[in-house]
Amino acid sequence: MSINSIFQFLVPKDKKFFPLFEDASSNLVELASNLHEAVNLPLKEREILFKKIDGFEQKGEDITRQTNLELSRNFITPFDREDIHSLVTSIDNVADRLHGASSIMRLYQVDKITKSIRKMTEINLEACQNIQTAVKELRDFKNSDKIKAACARISKLENKSDNVYNKAVFEIFENETDVKNIIKYKEVLSVLESATDKCKSVASVLESIAVKHS
């Protein structure tokens, strides 16, 4: 048991880090939800949501910065310092990828949104919701099985995303003749697939924390 773990039982309930973790996961779900909503709208109606996504991405960076600042200020933390850093950084990485997908669609003015893109934003949203579910259980570690179950669902979603991505890329090269469209769709799909990979990275951190404290 680390010295951090021993001190946990000697100090009042943490009131700084857990709210930051929950804010980060809640913000991530909002970002993913707005992205999924955006890809189900016509091109001209997406801009307002893309601007909201910009805001959520910035908020996520602010939460990460604040968490790291609290790490430098506080000797006692709710669990290992490296795990705290890994958790907020991995959540921020998901936000970065999802924001990247919206930025590419915005920059390239992707008009027609394919079923594969919609499916991948849906998968990412579900993965982010599972991250939020797991993060909420970190406060007391009484439901580590719920954390592990959410992480298992994220892993399955990542596999599903891989399958959707592979099929979509095959269909692009099989059916699309416009090189510009090939580049556009391939980039959007790649970033969305990377976002799901990053969700799995968050799950790995959460599962590690759950195992240490179960």
Side-chain angles (χ1 to χ4, degrees):
M1 180 179 286
S2 69
I3 190 170
N4 236 17
S5 299
I6 295 171
F7 278 129
Q8 286 176 50
F9 302 103
L10 305 177
V11 296
K13 188 79 171 176
D14 173 75
K15 295 181 181 179
K16 294 179 180 178
F17 289 99
F18 290 126
L20 287 167
F21 303 151
E22 290 168 8
D23 284 349
S25 63
S26 175
N27 183 69
L28 183 63
V29 169
E30 288 289 342
L31 196 162
S33 179
N34 275 267
L35 181 60
H36 184 53
E37 185 180 348
V39 300
N40 284 282
L41 292 175
L43 178 63
K44 292 181 180 179
E45 296 177 29
R46 292 177 211 152
E47 182 60 24
I48 189 170
L49 294 179
F50 287 154
K51 286 181 179 178
K52 285 185 178 181
I53 290 168
D54 290 342
F56 289 126
E57 194 272 339
Q58 183 58 58
K59 182 180 178 181
E61 288 188 359
D62 292 342
I63 294 169
T64 300
R65 191 179 303 109
Q66 183 62 36
T67 305
N68 287 325
L69 185 60
E70 293 297 340
L71 275 176
S72 69
R73 288 174 173 171
N74 293 272
F75 177 64
I76 306 301
T77 56
F79 45 86
D80 292 344
R81 306 174 77 83
E82 59 268 26
D83 287 336
I84 291 174
H85 177 73
S86 295
L87 178 59
V88 295
T89 300
S90 60
I91 290 174
D92 194 39
N93 286 340
V94 178
D96 285 344
R97 296 305 191 281
L98 294 175
H99 177 249
S102 73
S103 296
I104 291 169
M105 285 187 272
R106 196 184 201 174
L107 177 66
Y108 290 163
Q109 291 290 292
V110 178
D111 187 4
K112 182 183 177 183
I113 300 294
T114 64
K115 289 182 180 179
S116 298
I117 291 175
R118 290 193 185 96
K119 188 62 182 175
M120 292 186 76
T121 59
E122 180 184 0
I123 290 170
N124 273 296
L125 174 56
E126 188 175 348
C128 291
Q129 289 168 335
N130 276 282
I131 288 172
Q132 184 180 37
T133 297
V135 166
K136 285 180 179 178
E137 299 300 332
L138 290 177
R139 276 188 179 265
D140 53 22
F141 294 108
K142 290 180 180 177
N143 293 304
S144 61
D145 285 346
K146 287 187 178 180
I147 296 175
K148 294 172 186 176
C151 292
R153 290 193 293 271
I154 292 168
S155 182
K156 289 181 179 179
L157 288 165
E158 192 270 337
N159 290 333
K160 189 175 181 180
S161 175
D162 284 344
N163 292 333
V164 174
Y165 171 78
N166 290 333
K167 182 180 178 182
V169 171
F170 172 80
E171 289 176 349
I172 288 171
F173 286 103
E174 185 76 7
N175 302 318
E176 185 60 64
T177 56
D178 189 322
V179 175
K180 290 182 180 179
N181 282 336
I182 291 174
I183 294 171
K184 286 181 184 181
Y185 290 119
K186 177 68 165 56
E187 283 202 36
V188 173
L189 289 164
S190 293
V191 178
L192 288 172
E193 193 274 336
S194 176
T196 324
D197 286 344
K198 295 301 179 183
C199 288
K200 189 174 181 179
S201 296
V202 179
S204 296
V205 175
L206 287 164
E207 205 160 25
S208 175
I209 294 169
V211 167
K212 289 179 183 179
H213 293 268
S214 59

